[in-house]
Amino acid sequence: MPVFAAELTEAEVQQAVDAQGKETVTGNVFIWFLCAIAFLKVSQKIDSFMASLGVNVGNTGGNMMAELLIAGRGLASSFRGHGGGSHSSSHSSSPGSAAVQSSFLSGGLAGAVGRQTERSAVNAATGYTEGPSIGNALYQSSLEKGGDFANNVISNIAQGNYGQVGSIKGDGAVSAFQSYMGIQNEDKTDHSYTNVEIGGGRITGVESGSNGDSREFAMYHADQYTAPTQGTYETVQSVDGATWYKQYAENTVSKIPYDAGDGKIAYNESIVQKLPPTPPRKDRI
Protein backbone atom coordinates (compact mmCIF):
# COMPACT_ATOMS: atom_id res chain seq x y z
CA MET A 1 0.00 0.00 0.00
CA PRO A 2 1.43 3.45 -0.86
CA VAL A 3 2.03 5.76 2.10
CA PHE A 4 1.61 9.50 1.68
CA ALA A 5 3.29 11.89 4.13
CA ALA A 6 0.16 14.01 4.44
CA GLU A 7 -1.76 11.05 5.85
CA LEU A 8 0.87 9.99 8.42
CA THR A 9 -0.01 11.11 11.97
CA GLU A 10 2.12 11.22 15.10
CA ALA A 11 -0.03 8.55 16.72
CA GLU A 12 0.53 6.20 13.78
CA VAL A 13 4.29 6.76 14.02
CA GLN A 14 4.28 5.97 17.75
CA GLN A 15 2.17 2.87 17.11
CA ALA A 16 4.65 1.70 14.48
CA VAL A 17 7.57 2.33 16.89
CA ASP A 18 5.86 0.28 19.60
CA ALA A 19 5.19 -2.58 17.21
CA GLN A 20 8.42 -2.68 15.17
CA GLY A 21 11.02 -0.83 17.18
CA LYS A 22 12.57 2.59 16.77
CA GLU A 23 15.44 1.46 14.55
CA THR A 24 13.14 -0.34 12.08
CA VAL A 25 10.74 2.57 11.76
CA THR A 26 13.58 5.06 11.41
CA GLY A 27 15.08 2.95 8.64
CA ASN A 28 11.74 2.66 6.84
CA VAL A 29 11.13 6.40 7.01
CA PHE A 30 14.67 7.09 5.80
CA ILE A 31 14.21 4.74 2.84
CA TRP A 32 10.84 6.35 2.05
CA PHE A 33 12.48 9.77 2.23
CA LEU A 34 15.22 8.73 -0.19
CA CYS A 35 12.62 7.25 -2.55
CA ALA A 36 10.61 10.47 -2.40
CA ILE A 37 13.69 12.55 -3.30
CA ALA A 38 14.56 10.14 -6.12
CA PHE A 39 10.99 10.30 -7.43
CA LEU A 40 11.05 14.11 -7.44
CA LYS A 41 14.36 14.14 -9.32
CA VAL A 42 13.06 11.63 -11.86
CA SER A 43 9.84 13.61 -12.21
CA GLN A 44 11.84 16.76 -12.99
CA LYS A 45 13.83 14.89 -15.64
CA ILE A 46 10.62 13.46 -17.09
CA ASP A 47 9.01 16.92 -17.20
CA SER A 48 12.06 18.34 -18.97
CA PHE A 49 12.19 15.43 -21.42
CA MET A 50 8.45 15.60 -22.13
CA ALA A 51 8.75 19.34 -22.81
CA SER A 52 11.52 18.65 -25.31
CA LEU A 53 9.11 16.32 -27.14
CA GLY A 54 6.50 19.04 -27.31
CA VAL A 55 4.33 17.38 -24.68
CA ASN A 56 2.52 19.68 -22.26
CA VAL A 57 2.58 17.57 -19.10
CA GLY A 58 -0.11 19.78 -17.58
CA ASN A 59 -2.59 18.73 -20.27
CA THR A 60 -2.14 14.98 -20.19
CA GLY A 61 -5.18 14.60 -17.94
CA GLY A 62 -5.75 12.45 -14.88
CA ASN A 63 -3.38 12.24 -11.91
CA MET A 64 0.13 10.83 -11.63
CA MET A 65 -0.89 7.67 -9.78
CA ALA A 66 -3.58 6.83 -12.32
CA GLU A 67 -1.18 7.39 -15.22
CA LEU A 68 1.48 5.23 -13.56
CA LEU A 69 -1.05 2.46 -13.12
CA ILE A 70 -2.05 2.74 -16.78
CA ALA A 71 1.57 2.67 -17.89
CA GLY A 72 2.27 -0.28 -15.61
CA ARG A 73 -0.69 -2.20 -16.94
CA GLY A 74 0.41 -1.44 -20.50
CA LEU A 75 3.94 -2.59 -19.70
CA ALA A 76 2.61 -5.84 -18.24
CA SER A 77 0.57 -6.37 -21.41
CA SER A 78 3.67 -5.75 -23.47
CA PHE A 79 5.64 -8.38 -21.56
CA ARG A 80 2.80 -10.90 -21.85
CA GLY A 81 2.53 -10.14 -25.57
CA HIS A 82 6.17 -11.03 -26.09
CA GLY A 83 5.92 -14.19 -24.02
CA GLY A 84 4.54 -16.37 -26.82
CA GLY A 85 1.28 -18.29 -27.19
CA SER A 86 -2.11 -16.74 -27.72
CA HIS A 87 -1.05 -13.50 -26.01
CA SER A 88 1.59 -12.92 -28.67
CA SER A 89 -0.81 -13.35 -31.57
CA SER A 90 -3.40 -10.98 -30.10
CA HIS A 91 -0.73 -8.43 -29.20
CA SER A 92 0.66 -8.28 -32.74
CA SER A 93 -2.77 -7.70 -34.25
CA SER A 94 -3.01 -4.03 -33.28
CA PRO A 95 -1.74 -1.22 -35.56
CA GLY A 96 0.53 -0.01 -32.77
CA SER A 97 2.27 -3.37 -32.46
CA ALA A 98 2.86 -3.53 -36.22
CA ALA A 99 4.08 0.07 -36.42
CA VAL A 100 6.30 0.34 -33.34
CA GLN A 101 9.14 -2.16 -33.41
CA SER A 102 11.47 -0.07 -31.27
CA SER A 103 11.22 3.15 -29.33
CA PHE A 104 13.14 6.34 -29.94
CA LEU A 105 12.65 7.21 -26.27
CA SER A 106 15.35 5.00 -24.72
CA GLY A 107 16.31 1.41 -24.04
CA GLY A 108 15.71 -0.88 -21.09
CA LEU A 109 12.65 -0.54 -18.88
CA ALA A 110 11.98 3.03 -20.01
CA GLY A 111 12.18 1.86 -23.61
CA ALA A 112 9.60 -0.86 -22.94
CA VAL A 113 7.23 1.68 -21.39
CA GLY A 114 7.97 4.07 -24.26
CA ARG A 115 7.14 1.46 -26.87
CA GLN A 116 3.88 0.59 -25.15
CA THR A 117 2.98 4.30 -24.97
CA GLU A 118 3.75 4.75 -28.67
CA ARG A 119 1.66 1.69 -29.52
CA SER A 120 -1.24 3.18 -27.60
CA ALA A 121 -0.80 6.47 -29.46
CA VAL A 122 -0.70 4.73 -32.86
CA ASN A 123 -3.85 2.76 -32.03
CA ALA A 124 -5.65 5.97 -31.08
CA ALA A 125 -4.39 7.97 -34.08
CA THR A 126 -5.56 5.28 -36.54
CA GLY A 127 -8.95 4.93 -34.84
CA TYR A 128 -8.21 1.36 -33.76
CA THR A 129 -9.08 2.27 -30.16
CA GLU A 130 -11.31 4.99 -28.76
CA GLY A 131 -11.46 6.63 -25.38
CA PRO A 132 -8.82 8.16 -23.12
CA SER A 133 -5.35 6.65 -22.79
CA ILE A 134 -2.02 8.02 -21.70
CA GLY A 135 -0.61 7.37 -25.18
CA ASN A 136 -3.39 9.34 -26.86
CA ALA A 137 -3.12 12.16 -24.30
CA LEU A 138 0.62 12.46 -24.94
CA TYR A 139 0.08 12.30 -28.71
CA GLN A 140 -2.56 15.06 -28.72
CA SER A 141 -0.52 17.31 -26.44
CA SER A 142 2.63 16.83 -28.53
CA LEU A 143 0.68 17.32 -31.78
CA GLU A 144 -0.37 20.82 -30.69
CA LYS A 145 3.29 21.83 -30.62
CA GLY A 146 4.58 19.74 -33.49
CA GLY A 147 6.61 17.75 -30.97
CA ASP A 148 8.90 14.80 -31.63
CA PHE A 149 6.62 12.27 -29.94
CA ALA A 150 3.64 13.06 -32.19
CA ASN A 151 5.79 13.23 -35.33
CA ASN A 152 7.39 9.88 -34.53
CA VAL A 153 3.93 8.32 -34.19
CA ILE A 154 2.82 9.89 -37.49
CA SER A 155 6.02 8.71 -39.18
CA ASN A 156 5.41 5.13 -38.06
CA ILE A 157 1.93 5.24 -39.56
CA ALA A 158 2.89 7.14 -42.71
CA GLN A 159 5.61 4.63 -43.59
CA GLY A 160 3.92 1.54 -42.16
CA ASN A 161 2.21 -1.40 -43.83
CA TYR A 162 -1.29 -0.19 -44.69
CA GLY A 163 -2.85 -3.62 -44.21
CA GLN A 164 -1.40 -3.95 -40.71
CA VAL A 165 -1.13 -0.39 -39.44
CA GLY A 166 -3.98 1.39 -41.22
CA SER A 167 -3.99 5.15 -41.69
CA ILE A 168 -4.74 8.50 -40.10
CA LYS A 169 -7.86 10.10 -41.53
CA GLY A 170 -10.76 12.20 -40.39
CA ASP A 171 -10.59 15.26 -38.15
CA GLY A 172 -7.08 14.63 -36.82
CA ALA A 173 -5.43 13.93 -40.18
CA VAL A 174 -4.98 17.58 -41.19
CA SER A 175 -3.21 18.47 -37.95
CA ALA A 176 -1.07 15.35 -38.27
CA PHE A 177 -0.12 16.23 -41.87
CA GLN A 178 0.80 19.82 -41.01
CA SER A 179 2.89 18.71 -38.03
CA TYR A 180 4.63 15.94 -39.97
CA MET A 181 5.46 18.22 -42.90
CA GLY A 182 6.63 21.03 -40.60
CA ILE A 183 4.04 23.49 -41.89
CA GLN A 184 4.31 26.60 -39.72
CA ASN A 185 1.52 28.94 -38.64
CA GLU A 186 2.31 31.48 -41.35
CA ASP A 187 2.02 28.77 -44.01
CA LYS A 188 -1.41 27.76 -42.72
CA THR A 189 -2.83 31.14 -43.72
CA ASP A 190 -1.82 30.59 -47.36
CA HIS A 191 -3.03 27.01 -47.70
CA SER A 192 -5.64 24.80 -46.12
CA TYR A 193 -6.12 21.05 -46.35
CA THR A 194 -9.07 18.68 -46.37
CA ASN A 195 -9.73 14.95 -46.92
CA VAL A 196 -6.22 14.06 -45.78
CA GLU A 197 -5.22 10.41 -45.31
CA ILE A 198 -1.79 9.26 -44.13
CA GLY A 199 -0.57 5.68 -44.27
CA GLY A 200 1.07 2.90 -46.25
CA GLY A 201 3.78 5.09 -47.75
CA ARG A 202 1.19 7.50 -49.19
CA ILE A 203 -0.34 10.82 -48.19
CA THR A 204 -3.34 12.13 -50.10
CA GLY A 205 -5.69 15.08 -49.70
CA VAL A 206 -7.01 18.31 -51.16
CA GLU A 207 -4.98 21.52 -50.95
CA SER A 208 -6.74 24.89 -51.21
CA GLY A 209 -5.04 28.21 -51.78
CA SER A 210 -5.96 31.62 -50.40
CA ASN A 211 -7.63 32.44 -53.75
CA GLY A 212 -10.08 29.55 -53.30
CA ASP A 213 -8.55 27.20 -55.88
CA SER A 214 -8.44 23.56 -54.78
CA ARG A 215 -6.35 20.68 -56.10
CA GLU A 216 -5.97 17.08 -55.15
CA PHE A 217 -2.46 15.99 -54.25
CA ALA A 218 -0.70 12.72 -53.58
CA MET A 219 2.66 12.05 -51.94
CA TYR A 220 4.71 8.85 -52.18
CA HIS A 221 7.49 7.81 -49.83
CA ALA A 222 10.69 7.63 -51.87
CA ASP A 223 11.94 4.51 -50.07
CA GLN A 224 8.73 2.65 -50.88
CA TYR A 225 7.77 4.01 -54.33
CA THR A 226 9.69 4.68 -57.52
CA ALA A 227 9.81 8.21 -58.87
CA PRO A 228 6.70 9.07 -60.95
CA THR A 229 7.16 8.69 -64.68
CA GLN A 230 3.90 10.37 -65.67
CA GLY A 231 3.06 13.96 -64.88
CA THR A 232 5.22 16.46 -63.04
CA TYR A 233 6.30 16.08 -59.44
CA GLU A 234 8.36 17.80 -56.79
CA THR A 235 10.48 16.36 -54.00
CA VAL A 236 9.68 17.36 -50.41
CA GLN A 237 10.91 16.26 -47.00
CA SER A 238 9.01 15.52 -43.82
CA VAL A 239 10.33 16.46 -40.38
CA ASP A 240 11.79 12.97 -39.86
CA GLY A 241 14.08 13.50 -42.87
CA ALA A 242 12.12 11.19 -45.18
CA THR A 243 11.88 12.10 -48.88
CA TRP A 244 8.47 12.20 -50.60
CA TYR A 245 7.40 12.62 -54.22
CA LYS A 246 4.51 15.08 -54.42
CA GLN A 247 2.13 15.36 -57.36
CA TYR A 248 -0.92 17.50 -57.99
CA ALA A 249 -3.96 16.72 -60.08
CA GLU A 250 -3.50 17.89 -63.68
CA ASN A 251 -5.90 18.90 -66.42
CA THR A 252 -7.09 15.84 -68.34
CA VAL A 253 -9.62 15.45 -71.14
CA SER A 254 -12.60 13.41 -70.05
CA LYS A 255 -14.63 11.65 -72.74
CA ILE A 256 -18.09 10.37 -71.89
CA PRO A 257 -19.62 8.28 -74.74
CA TYR A 258 -23.27 8.54 -75.77
CA ASP A 259 -25.47 7.12 -78.49
CA ALA A 260 -25.56 9.59 -81.40
CA GLY A 261 -28.11 7.53 -83.36
CA ASP A 262 -27.75 5.46 -86.48
CA GLY A 263 -25.48 3.10 -84.54
CA LYS A 264 -22.87 5.79 -84.00
CA ILE A 265 -21.12 6.72 -80.79
CA ALA A 266 -20.15 10.27 -79.96
CA TYR A 267 -18.41 11.75 -76.94
CA ASN A 268 -19.06 14.59 -74.54
CA GLU A 269 -15.64 16.02 -73.87
CA SER A 270 -14.64 18.12 -70.88
CA ILE A 271 -11.48 19.08 -69.03
CA VAL A 272 -11.18 17.71 -65.52
CA GLN A 273 -8.37 17.54 -62.97
CA LYS A 274 -7.03 14.09 -62.29
CA LEU A 275 -4.04 12.72 -60.42
CA PRO A 276 -1.40 10.95 -62.54
CA PRO A 277 -1.24 7.15 -62.10
CA THR A 278 0.31 5.92 -58.86
CA PRO A 279 3.98 4.97 -59.42
CA PRO A 280 4.98 1.34 -58.75
CA ARG A 281 5.96 0.19 -55.28
CA LYS A 282 9.57 -0.89 -55.04
CA ASP A 283 8.69 -4.11 -53.21
CA ARG A 284 6.50 -5.20 -56.13
CA ILE A 285 8.94 -4.66 -58.97
Side-chain angles (χ1 to χ4, degrees):
M1 293 291 292
V3 178
F4 298 95
E7 298 175 354
L8 192 63
T9 65
E10 184 177 351
E12 290 172 332
V13 172
Q14 186 59 49
Q15 182 180 4
V17 170
D18 294 339
Q20 304 177 34
K22 182 177 180 180
E23 290 78 8
T24 301
V25 172
T26 301
N28 289 341
V29 172
F30 181 66
I31 292 173
W32 178 89
F33 181 70
L34 290 178
C35 290
I37 293 176
F39 179 77
L40 290 175
K41 287 184 175 294
V42 171
S43 296
Q44 290 175 344
K45 289 181 179 294
I46 291 175
D47 286 353
S48 177
F49 179 67
M50 299 279 266
S52 71
L53 297 180
V55 176
N56 184 350
V57 294
N59 292 335
T60 55
N63 55 66
M64 178 63 72
M65 183 57 67
E67 293 182 0
L68 288 175
L69 289 174
I70 293 173
R73 184 173 62 181
L75 179 58
S77 299
S78 176
F79 286 152
R80 287 197 302 270
H82 285 87
S86 60
H87 293 293
S88 178
S89 60
S90 61
H91 176 75
S92 62
S93 63
S94 74
S97 298
V100 181
Q101 302 301 326
S102 61
S103 175
F104 77 106
L105 296 176
S106 63
L109 179 62
V113 175
R115 286 189 293 274
Q116 182 61 26
T117 303
E118 287 182 79
R119 293 186 187 105
S120 174
V122 169
N123 290 340
T126 56
Y128 180 78
T129 58
E130 297 181 356
S133 70
I134 188 171
N136 187 35
L138 291 174
Y139 171 72
Q140 296 297 337
S141 180
S142 179
L143 186 61
E144 293 179 2
K145 299 181 179 181
D148 290 343
F149 180 80
N151 286 328
N152 188 73
V153 169
I154 299 166
S155 176
N156 285 334
I157 299 171
Q159 302 178 37
N161 184 309
Y162 186 87
Q164 296 176 342
V165 179
S167 64
I168 305 175
K169 52 187 175 183
D171 296 337
V174 172
S175 298
F177 171 72
Q178 292 175 327
S179 177
Y180 185 53
M181 297 309 300
I183 298 176
Q184 306 300 320
N185 290 331
E186 56 269 20
D187 298 326
K188 296 177 182 178
T189 60
D190 296 330
H191 298 87
S192 60
Y193 302 90
T194 55
N195 298 332
V196 173
E197 183 172 3
I198 305 170
R202 295 181 61 187
I203 301 176
T204 58
V206 176
E207 181 179 305
S208 301
S210 56
N211 58 0
D213 293 339
S214 297
R215 289 191 297 172
E216 283 188 87
F217 71 90
M219 296 170 54
Y220 309 97
H221 186 220
D223 289 346
Q224 296 170 269
Y225 285 86
T226 62
T229 57
Q230 298 187 44
T232 60
Y233 71 91
E234 58 182 305
T235 301
V236 297
Q237 281 195 320
S238 46
V239 295
D240 59 354
T243 299
W244 296 79
Y245 304 121
K246 184 176 183 180
Q247 290 190 300
Y248 288 98
E250 300 177 349
N251 290 335
T252 303
V253 176
S254 173
K255 295 183 177 182
I256 301 177
Y258 67 92
D259 187 353
D262 298 330
K264 296 181 180 179
I265 297 177
Y267 295 89
N268 287 322
E269 296 184 354
S270 61
I271 296 178
V272 298
Q273 286 197 336
K274 186 177 180 181
L275 282 169
T278 301
R281 287 183 60 95
K282 291 183 176 180
D283 59 357
R284 298 175 183 174
I285 298 178

